[in-house]
């Protein structure tokens, strides 16, 4: 006879320990599933690249190795090293001057050195090509000063070269080094430098022996961002005739018609991105925790008149070359174009398209970033935070890589939809997703999601967790806490995230160029088209609009400094 205790015992399988997957699903189900879906979307481009690359097999490689890769890889390496050197030289040097020295104009240079950030690299290249043209304003002024009549009598350095690209891109991206290095110098005391000075060390020996090793982690972090942005560039390289890996992806796809070859080059670029990100993460570990206090008032050194003049020139030159000259040229060219022929055809529709596209991207990424940040804040599931980290992978991918990788899954879904509609109605509807711009919107949202997520995560960290605990003790659900407490307190970070994403989406060229629907022009693609046709004067207004929009995050940075 079976005992009562044996008869009431649950099945053995029910008593078994839950699997790791069940444990993950058992806690924070909604947050876990949301982060899992977004992380899956972020990995879609990588899966697409692998699928295309495998589909191409080895038949594409001989042609790529013979005709594309060696030259593109060498050019890309030259460009990365050159831009990093320019950004390090200008960024570290100017940060050291404004943080540790007193000289005329220093308080203005502290924020003015950020202005080149408002100038996209392709706009900078576009402007400098006209400024330095033999009949452009700079050679004309120089010939007038030197009394030279022949336009060919004053040869200037060739801008359409690797050196020209390094000059243009380096002058735009040096603030990525300037910002973290200056912040670190303001946090740390100059006591080591003072001690070295009392022991007889000169300024150069103090800079290279004491100050430079101290700020190196912050500089390395900024240089990682500089290299990622350089890899993402396609407009400046195209305008200046530089065949980088990014340009090779674009031309292999659009000119040679080989999506498999483009995917294989993009995978090679992705390997470089992973390496750069690893270096940046290593540098971040060596950064000190921010204390919120600065040592400026005790560590400044007043420069003598000659030293002050040299410091003034060293800080003024990158602002003049990186913002003053191209910005003034664009303003003058746009005004001249407007006075002569009015507004170019298509400019207003391109501006409207840019605003709509950037607005939709900002709305989607801010909503998704808010959900990610709230999921990570209250997570009891250990898998939520890593999944949220994977969801931000898109920002590290160059726009061309992201666009090529998304084409596989989006095209597959497009074909399924078309087949389903044809089977049900007999009508051929064509490419619904790519033709409507949904693929472009997905690409931009994945690329800029990490901006909104990190901005809102930083905002949530400023809200004390004791408020959440008090609300929970009164019976409030997590949804009500997020709606009634977090959202009102997050208004400033929400606005900052929306502005940052909006501006970046308006400036984005590579992904827009590759995934836009037919006859859909934005300000960036309109400018690209005018430059490709050689009608630079018609693109001045579009370029000026992009720069003016790009000033918004720079002003926000200046107000927060």
């Amino acid at each position: 006879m079976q005992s009562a205790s044996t008869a009431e015992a649950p099945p053995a399988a029910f008593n078994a320990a839950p699997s790791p997957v069940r444990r993950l699903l058992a806690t924070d189900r909604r947050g876990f599933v949301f982060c899992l879906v977004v992380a899956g979307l972020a990995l879609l481009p990588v899966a697409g690249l692998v699928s295309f690359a495998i589909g191409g097999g080895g038949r594409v490689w001989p042609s790529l190795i013979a005709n594309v890769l060696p030259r593109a890889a060498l050019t890309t390496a030259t460009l990365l090293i050159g831009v990093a050197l320019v950004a390090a030289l200008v960024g570290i040097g100017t940060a050291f001057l404004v943080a540790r020295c007193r000289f005329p104009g220093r308080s203005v240079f502290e924020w003015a050195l950020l202005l080149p950030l408002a100038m996209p690299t392709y706009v900078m290249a576009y402007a400098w090509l006209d400024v330095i043209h033999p009949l452009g304003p700079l050679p004309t002024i120089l010939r007038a000063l030197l009394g030279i009549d022949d336009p060919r009598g004053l040869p200037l350095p060739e801008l359409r070269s690797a050196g020209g690209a390094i000059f243009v891109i380096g002058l735009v991206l040096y603030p990525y080094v300037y910002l973290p290095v200056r912040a670190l110098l303001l946090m740390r005391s100059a006591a080591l430098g003072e001690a070295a000075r009392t022991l007889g060390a000169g300024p150069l020996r103090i800079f290279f022996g004491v100050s430079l090793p101290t700020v190196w982690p912050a500089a390395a972090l900024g240089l990682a961002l500089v290299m990622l942005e350089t890899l993402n560039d396609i407009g400046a390289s195209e305008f200046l005739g530089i065949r980088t890996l990014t340009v090779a992806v674009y031309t292999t796809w659009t000119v040679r018609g080989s999506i498999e070859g483009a995917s294989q080059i993009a995978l090679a670029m992705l390997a470089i991105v992973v390496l750069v990100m690893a270096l940046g993460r290593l540098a971040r570990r060596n950064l000190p925790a921010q204390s919120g206090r600065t040592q400026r008032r005790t560590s400044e050194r007043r420069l003598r008149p000659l030293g002050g003049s040299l410091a003034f020139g060293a800080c003024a030159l990158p602002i003049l070359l990186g913002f003053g000259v191209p910005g003034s040229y664009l303003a003058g060219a746009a005004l001249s174009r407007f006075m002569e022929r009015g507004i170019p055809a298509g400019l207003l529709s391109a501006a409207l398209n840019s605003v709509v596209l950037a607005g939709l991207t900002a709305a989607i990424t801010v909503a998704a970033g808010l959900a990610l940040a709230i999921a990570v804040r209250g997570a009891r599931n250990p898998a939520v935070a890593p999944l949220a980290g994977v969801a931000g992978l898109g920002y590290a991918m160059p726009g061309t890589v992201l666009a090529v990788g998304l084409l596989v899954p989006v095209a597959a879904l497009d074909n399924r939809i078309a087949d389903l509609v044809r089977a049900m109605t007999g009508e051929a509807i064509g490419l619904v997703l790519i033709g409507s711009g949904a693929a472009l919107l997905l690409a931009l949202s994945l690329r800029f999601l990490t901006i909104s997520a990190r901005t809102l995560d930083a905002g949530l960290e400023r809200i004390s967790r004791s408020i959440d605990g008090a609300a929970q003790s009164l019976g409030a659900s997590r949804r009500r806490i997020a709606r009634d407490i977090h959202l009102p307190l997050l208004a400033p970070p929400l606005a900052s995230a929306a502005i940052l994403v909006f501006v970046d989406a308006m400036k984005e060229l590579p992904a827009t160029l590759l995934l836009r629907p037919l006859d859909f022009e934005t300000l960036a693609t309109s400018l690209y088209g005018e430059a490709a046709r050689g009608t630079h004067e018609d693109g001045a207004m579009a370029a000026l609009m992009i720069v003016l929009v790009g000033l918004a995050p720079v002003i926000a940075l200046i107000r927060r400094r």
Side-chain angles (χ1 to χ4, degrees):
M1 182 178 178
Q2 196 176 24
S3 66
S5 60
T6 305
E8 294 173 0
F14 192 80
N15 278 336
S19 66
V21 175
R22 284 187 176 180
R23 283 201 300 269
L24 289 176
L25 287 173
T27 54
D28 295 328
R29 185 184 299 270
R30 290 178 181 172
F32 173 76
V33 171
F34 178 76
C35 292
L36 185 65
V37 170
V38 179
L41 286 174
L43 289 175
L44 266 184
V46 180
L49 287 178
V50 173
S51 172
F52 263 138
I54 292 175
R59 57 188 167 81
V60 184
W61 276 106
S63 173
L64 291 178
I65 292 174
N67 304 310
V68 179
L69 279 180
R71 183 182 175 190
L74 180 62
T75 304
T76 302
T78 303
L79 191 63
L80 287 176
I81 295 172
V83 171
L85 286 175
V86 171
L89 179 66
V90 179
I92 296 175
T94 52
F96 185 81
L97 287 172
V98 300
R100 291 290 166 85
C101 302
R102 296 185 66 183
F103 57 93
R106 188 204 62 183
S107 60
V108 175
F109 290 133
E110 278 184 315
W111 60 264
L113 282 163
L114 298 175
L115 288 175
L117 272 181
M119 193 77 63
T121 52
Y122 56 87
V123 173
M124 180 85 161
Y126 166 88
W128 269 104
L129 277 175
D130 266 15
V131 169
I132 208 169
H133 188 275
L135 298 178
L138 182 61
T140 302
I141 293 173
L142 290 177
R143 284 198 303 270
L145 292 175
L146 298 174
I148 300 174
D149 296 327
D150 186 359
R152 293 171 298 182
L154 183 64
L156 292 176
E158 179 56 63
L159 198 62
R160 297 181 187 273
S161 63
I166 290 171
F167 165 78
V168 165
I169 301 176
L171 279 177
V172 172
L173 299 182
Y174 79 82
Y176 284 108
V177 178
Y178 165 77
L179 269 173
V181 171
R182 173 179 168 271
L184 189 60
L185 285 171
L186 291 178
M187 285 170 56
R188 287 191 163 175
S189 168
L192 287 176
E194 296 296 334
R197 187 175 295 113
T198 59
L199 294 174
L204 289 179
R205 191 174 177 186
I206 293 174
F207 177 77
F208 286 105
V210 179
S211 299
L212 194 57
T214 302
V215 302
W216 181 242
L221 185 64
L223 287 174
L225 291 174
V226 167
M227 296 176 90
L228 288 177
E229 290 292 333
T230 305
L231 273 176
N232 185 50
D233 171 76
I234 187 172
S237 302
E238 274 277 280
F239 293 166
L240 301 177
I242 305 300
R243 299 300 172 189
T244 61
L245 286 172
T246 307
V247 176
V249 171
Y250 179 69
T251 55
T252 301
W253 181 7
T254 60
V255 179
R256 297 171 185 263
S258 173
I259 187 66
E260 295 85 3
S263 300
Q264 290 171 349
I265 301 173
L267 275 180
M269 286 181 63
L270 206 54
I272 300 175
V273 168
V274 172
L275 177 63
V276 172
M277 288 180 65
L279 293 175
R281 188 174 293 274
L282 188 63
R284 187 187 296 273
R285 289 180 182 174
N286 295 324
L287 281 174
Q290 190 167 0
S291 66
R293 294 188 307 169
T294 66
Q295 304 287 336
R296 169 186 293 178
R297 299 306 171 197
T298 61
S299 59
E300 290 176 352
R301 181 185 181 191
R302 182 182 294 277
L303 298 180
R304 295 177 179 176
L306 178 59
S309 301
L310 293 176
F312 184 94
C315 291
L317 192 60
I319 301 170
L320 183 68
L321 298 179
F323 186 81
V325 171
S328 303
Y329 168 75
L330 290 177
L335 180 62
S336 174
R337 173 65 176 78
F338 177 75
M339 297 296 288
E340 290 178 3
R341 287 179 285 174
I343 298 176
L347 180 63
L348 293 181
S349 65
L352 180 61
N353 289 340
S354 295
V355 170
V356 171
L357 182 65
L360 289 174
T361 304
I364 293 172
T365 53
V366 168
L370 179 63
L372 277 177
I374 289 177
V376 171
R377 178 181 175 88
R380 298 188 297 276
N381 189 323
V384 169
L387 285 174
V390 174
L393 184 65
Y395 189 69
M397 292 189 201
T400 47
V401 175
L402 195 62
V404 173
L406 274 178
L407 197 64
V408 174
V410 173
L413 183 58
D414 238 348
N415 288 329
R416 291 290 180 89
I417 294 174
D419 291 342
L420 181 63
V421 173
R422 189 183 301 114
M424 294 176 65
T425 66
E427 296 289 335
I429 60 172
L431 299 175
V432 177
L433 298 177
I434 295 179
S436 66
L440 174 58
L441 196 58
L442 175 62
L444 294 180
S445 300
L446 289 177
R447 177 152 169 70
F448 300 122
L449 174 61
T450 191
I451 296 177
S452 65
R454 290 188 178 181
T455 304
L456 295 171
D457 186 56
L460 277 175
E461 284 299 317
R462 296 179 181 176
I463 302 174
S464 173
R465 291 179 182 271
S466 61
I467 298 177
D468 297 15
Q472 284 176 335
S473 67
L474 295 173
S477 64
R478 290 180 60 184
R479 178 182 296 182
R480 189 174 179 190
I481 293 172
R483 185 191 64 196
D484 295 343
I485 298 177
H486 291 162
L487 270 181
L489 294 176
L490 280 177
L494 280 169
S496 298
I499 291 173
L500 290 173
V501 174
F502 183 88
V503 173
D504 275 342
M506 279 199 75
K507 294 192 298 184
E508 171 67 23
L509 177 62
T512 309
L513 204 58
L514 290 170
L515 291 177
R516 63 184 167 141
L518 290 174
D519 298 328
F520 182 86
E521 297 287 351
T522 65
L523 288 174
T525 60
S526 176
L527 173 61
Y528 181 86
E530 297 291 359
R533 289 189 288 271
T535 52
H536 283 217
E537 65 279 3
D538 287 342
M541 286 189 192
L544 187 62
M545 286 183 183
I546 295 171
V547 174
L548 292 177
V549 172
L551 279 173
V554 176
I555 292 172
L557 275 173
I558 291 169
R559 294 181 64 181
R560 286 193 306 178
R561 71 187 176 84

